Amino acid sequence: MDNSTGYGIVLVTAASREEAEAIASVLVESKLAACANFFPIQSVYTWQGEVQKEQEWQLFIKTDLNQFSNLEAKIREIHSYQVPEIIALPIIAGSHPYLQWISEQVNH
């Protein structure tokens, strides 16, 4: 294991598979993320005073958190939600070769 200061996973939910794939592609092609995985989830949340139950798509975006503000701006630019989920979780530890790969993929 290696100390991973600066690396993290950004969680974003999207309305459809197509939107999740578009967000993932733009972030990787823009060198704001090394990798993004997405999969279907069921969400229950309150929006504008009412409980909503929706199928959404969860993205796990691996990045250098030094790029968070640029990554957030790009997501907000293309996302369909008025208030998209964009939250970062730090990677506490990871294998050195994998963290090095993230570093090589993301612009600094």
Side-chain angles (χ1 to χ4, degrees):
M1 268 189 326
D2 189 12
N3 183 352
S4 58
T5 305
Y7 301 105
I9 307 242
V10 177
L11 302 177
V12 175
T13 50
S16 67
R17 182 187 193 285
E18 293 75 21
E19 182 172 48
E21 188 168 1
I23 291 167
S25 295
V26 165
L27 294 177
V28 171
E29 290 165 7
S30 299
K31 299 275 189 201
L32 293 171
C35 174
N37 312 104
F38 53 91
F39 50 90
I41 59 168
Q42 191 66 35
S43 297
V44 179
Y45 58 93
T46 300
W47 179 247
Q48 298 180 338
E50 298 201 7
V51 174
Q52 307 290 321
K53 297 177 182 178
E54 303 287 341
Q55 173 143 8
E56 296 183 290
W57 287 76
Q58 182 73 62
L59 288 101
F60 277 31
I61 301 160
K62 276 74 90 181
T63 190
D64 181 333
L65 293 179
N66 292 314
Q67 287 294 319
F68 182 81
S69 61
N70 294 331
L71 183 135
E72 178 189 13
K74 183 60 77 175
I75 292 168
R76 292 174 63 81
E77 193 180 291
I78 61 178
H79 207 293
S80 67
Y81 290 176
Q82 187 177 357
V83 182
E85 171 192 68
I86 308 171
I87 55 176
L89 305 174
I91 295 173
I92 303 303
S95 75
H96 180 74
Y98 187 77
L99 299 176
Q100 183 64 37
W101 174 78
I102 291 175
S103 178
E104 290 167 1
Q105 305 314 307
V106 179
N107 283 338
H108 296 282

